[in-house]
């Protein structure tokens, strides 16, 4: 095995005499404000291919985004193994994560993201972004780049930018692969050039993203599970399998039940409740063991309120009315209902199905706490849909087996 790797030019080690001089100069320029929050949360990626996850965990913790889930003990804190919304962790561990999937992951976990591929930007524009971010402490700038232009071994990598020396036009890379390289300064022009190189896994260039803390994007009652990478199966089922199903449905009021009853196993596990996660076991601590009694009671009351609101929703009642002991559903009613609402929101439903279900698909007039959870779920689905469009060969215009969906529900 290796114990670190040489840090070659043009990089300058942060702790070297020159690196400290560059830091002092940048500090006097006012271009190191972003450094201090990042340094408080600086971490080493947990797996060789987890640079993207390590960078995102570091950024989210720096922005003080509450994950809404317990990490260990009683603490809610972002860890790489919690970041599985857009790509299964086993796949990330094997292949890493491309830039567009990383952006999806950031949005799924409560960050507001402004991002550009290198081909959509310029060196001058990137310099202005760096200057702006380095001089404030409310946002985090992350980069997806190739190490090749830095005269370093390996290729694709993610890390946050921790500061900027304007006089020397150098940026500080807070390298999350600390087992390989320490934090180091590089010329901004090299940093931008490194983003222009194609990621061979997706044949696209890389880019940069400015993250800020958005509305809390972590639900109390339910969430998306991408353990099996099931979003594509979710899209296929709701886009392509429902129209033929209508031919065998004699009563339109039975359609929501039929949709749930025929859910394939790979789709049925796509939306999960936190009760599902706890009952199946998790690497994270159980809420029963971790939360203080008062907080645990409040959480239970909130989830009970969400469940009661779900049960009052007309779509839930339509499904429940057709459930019989002799034909159990492969999914909890609330999970099936949420998938139908999500499919309607993404305009996946065929026109005929949408027309029949339209009165049952409204969610905008729901009240908190259900409204907040629905917003979170739909934000996650939108992020996955954007990722699917970005990663498709036709730029998202791939053909489907169904007719065009209707306009979004207002």
């Amino acid at each position: 095995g290796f114990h670190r790797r040489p840090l070659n030019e043009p990089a300058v080690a942060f702790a070297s005499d020159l690196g400290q001089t560059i830091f002092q100069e940048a500090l006097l320029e006012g271009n190191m404000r972003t450094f201090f929050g990042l340094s408080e949360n600086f971490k080493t990626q947990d797996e060789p291919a987890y640079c993207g996850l390590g960078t995102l965990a570091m950024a989210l913790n720096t922005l003080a985004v509450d994950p809404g889930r317990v990490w260990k003990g009683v603490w809610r804190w972002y860890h790489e193994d919690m970041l599985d919304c857009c790509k299964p962790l086993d796949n990330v561990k094997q292949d890493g994560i491309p830039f567009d999937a990383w952006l999806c992951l950031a949005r799924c976990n409560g960050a507001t993201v402004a991002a550009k591929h290198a081909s959509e930007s310029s060196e001058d524009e990137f310099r202005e972004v760096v200057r702006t971010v380095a001089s404030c402490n409310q946002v985090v700038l992350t980069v997806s780049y190739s190490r090749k232009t830095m005269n370093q071994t390996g290729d694709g990598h993610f890390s946050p930018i921790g500061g900027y020396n304007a006089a020397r036009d150098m940026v500080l890379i807070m390298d999350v692969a600390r087992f390989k390289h320490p934090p180091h300064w590089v010329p901004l022009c090299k940093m931008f050039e490194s983003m222009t190189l194609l990621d061979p896994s997706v044949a696209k260039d890389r880019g940069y993203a400015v993250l800020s803390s958005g509305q809390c994007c972590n639900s109390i009652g339910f969430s998306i599970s991408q353990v099996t990478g099931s979003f594509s199966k979710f899209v296929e089922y709701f886009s392509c399998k429902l129209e033929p199903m209508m031919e065998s449905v004699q009563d339109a009021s039975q359609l929501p039940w039929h949709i749930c009853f025929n859910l394939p196993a790979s789709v049925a596990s796509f939306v999960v409740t936190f009760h599902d996660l706890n009952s199946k076991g998790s690497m994270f601590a159980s809420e029963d063991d971790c939360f203080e009694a008062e907080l645990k009671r409040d959480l239970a009351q909130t989830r009970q309120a969400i469940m009661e609101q779900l049960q009052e929703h007309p779509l839930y009642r339509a499904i429940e009315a057709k459930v019989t002991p002799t034909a159990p559903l492969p999914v909890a009613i609330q999970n099936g209902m949420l998938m139908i609402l999500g499919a309607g929101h993404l305009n996946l439903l065929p026109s005929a199905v949408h027309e029949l279900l339209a009165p049952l698909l409204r969610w905008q007039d729901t009240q908190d706490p259900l409204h907040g959870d629905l917003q979170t779920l739909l934000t996650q689905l939108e992020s996955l849909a954007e990722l699917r469009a970005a990663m498709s060969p036709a730029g998202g215009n791939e053909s489907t087996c169904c007719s065009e969906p209707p306009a979004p529900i207002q």
Side-chain angles (χ1 to χ4, degrees):
F2 296 102
H3 179 248
R4 313 195 81 172
R5 300 295 289 163
L7 187 63
N8 301 317
E9 292 183 354
V12 176
F14 178 68
S16 68
D17 289 343
L18 179 55
Q20 292 181 51
T21 298
I22 297 171
F23 173 78
Q24 291 170 347
E25 294 170 354
L27 196 62
L28 291 173
E29 291 175 343
N31 290 326
M32 292 302 298
R33 293 194 68 192
T34 190
F35 170 79
F36 298 100
L38 287 168
S39 64
E40 287 181 345
N41 296 279
F42 199 8
K43 70 177 273 86
T44 302
Q45 63 191 71
D46 281 357
E47 296 283 344
Y50 269 16
C51 57
L53 302 190
T55 295
L56 183 55
M58 182 175 164
L60 293 170
N61 289 329
T62 297
L63 294 169
V65 177
D66 185 344
R69 288 178 283 168
V70 171
W71 163 57
K72 290 183 181 179
V74 298
W75 304 108
R76 300 195 303 277
W77 187 253
Y78 271 105
H79 182 272
E80 286 103 319
D81 286 326
M82 301 163 74
L83 302 173
D84 63 351
C85 173
C86 299
K87 185 175 179 179
L89 288 175
D90 285 344
N91 292 3
V92 178
K93 190 178 293 187
Q94 183 73 28
D95 307 319
I97 187 167
F99 183 52
D100 287 312
W102 189 92
L103 297 177
C104 169
L105 200 57
R107 294 184 178 106
C108 271
N109 283 279
T112 298
V113 182
K116 285 193 174 184
H117 283 266
S119 57
E120 301 168 329
S121 185
S122 67
E123 183 180 314
D124 287 340
E125 182 182 20
F126 178 60
R127 182 176 292 105
E128 286 306 308
V129 171
V130 169
R131 193 191 305 272
T132 300
V133 172
S135 61
C136 75
N137 56 10
Q138 304 297 318
V139 294
V140 172
L141 173 61
T142 62
V143 286
S144 170
Y145 64 102
S146 171
R147 289 190 183 273
K148 292 179 177 180
T149 60
M150 309 292 186
N151 198 22
Q152 298 172 4
T153 59
D155 191 4
H157 194 51
F158 285 84
S159 280
I161 295 296
Y164 176 56
N165 184 307
R168 298 175 187 259
D169 202 27
M170 299 182 79
V171 295
L172 176 63
I173 301 176
M174 301 189 75
D175 198 327
V176 293
R178 295 200 288 179
F179 49 82
K180 184 174 184 178
H181 291 307
H184 50 277
W185 296 94
V186 298
L188 183 143
C189 60
K190 283 292 184 184
M191 182 76 262
F192 186 78
E193 180 187 350
S194 72
M195 293 186 285
T196 65
L197 271 64
L198 295 185
D199 177 348
S201 70
V202 291
K204 297 182 71 173
D205 60 344
R206 308 163 202 271
Y208 60 90
V210 178
L211 274 59
S212 57
S213 180
Q215 294 181 338
C216 181
C217 196
N218 294 283
S219 58
I220 296 171
F222 40 77
S223 188
I224 296 297
S225 173
Q226 273 283 82
V227 173
T228 59
S230 50
F231 182 65
S232 59
K233 301 179 181 68
F234 170 84
V235 172
E236 179 185 5
Y237 178 71
F238 282 98
S239 297
C240 306
K241 305 297 183 183
L242 302 192
E243 209 155 35
M245 186 187 304
M246 290 182 63
E247 298 175 5
S248 61
V249 177
Q250 313 248 334
D251 183 351
S253 66
Q254 294 184 357
L255 184 57
W257 178 88
H258 277 274
I259 292 172
C260 294
F261 182 75
N262 288 285
L263 279 168
S266 57
V267 180
S269 60
F270 182 56
V271 171
V272 295
T273 65
F274 283 105
H275 174 76
D276 295 332
L277 294 176
N278 288 337
S279 65
K280 292 175 183 176
S282 170
M283 68 164 286
F284 303 107
S286 167
E287 291 172 356
D288 291 337
D289 299 330
C290 295
F291 285 116
E292 296 174 359
E294 183 177 354
L295 181 57
K296 186 165 63 176
R297 183 172 61 252
D298 291 345
L299 194 62
Q301 289 174 350
T302 302
R303 288 181 177 161
Q304 179 61 30
I306 289 173
M307 190 64 204
E308 290 173 358
Q309 287 178 283
L310 283 169
Q311 291 170 343
E312 290 300 315
H313 194 280
L315 182 55
Y316 185 103
R317 294 201 300 266
I319 300 169
E320 183 183 41
K322 306 302 178 183
V323 173
T324 64
T326 57
L329 297 177
V331 64
I333 296 174
Q334 63 269 21
N335 294 31
M337 163 194 161
L338 292 169
M339 281 188 267
I340 295 173
L341 285 178
H345 181 73
L346 294 183
N347 300 320
L348 297 178
L349 302 176
S351 299
V353 174
H354 186 278
E355 185 177 349
L356 284 175
L357 297 184
L360 306 178
L361 296 178
R362 289 197 58 81
W363 64 273
Q364 291 86 345
D365 52 358
T366 57
Q367 303 297 312
D368 283 331
L370 175 61
H371 188 81
D373 258 29
L374 286 173
Q375 280 190 311
T376 292
L377 185 74
L378 297 177
T379 296
Q380 292 177 331
L381 287 172
E382 289 168 2
S383 298
L384 286 166
E386 289 173 10
L387 171 62
R388 187 171 187 264
M391 301 298 285
S392 67
N397 295 319
E398 70 247 57
S399 60
T400 65
C401 52
C402 300
S403 57
E404 283 296 309
I409 302 172
Q410 301 296 325

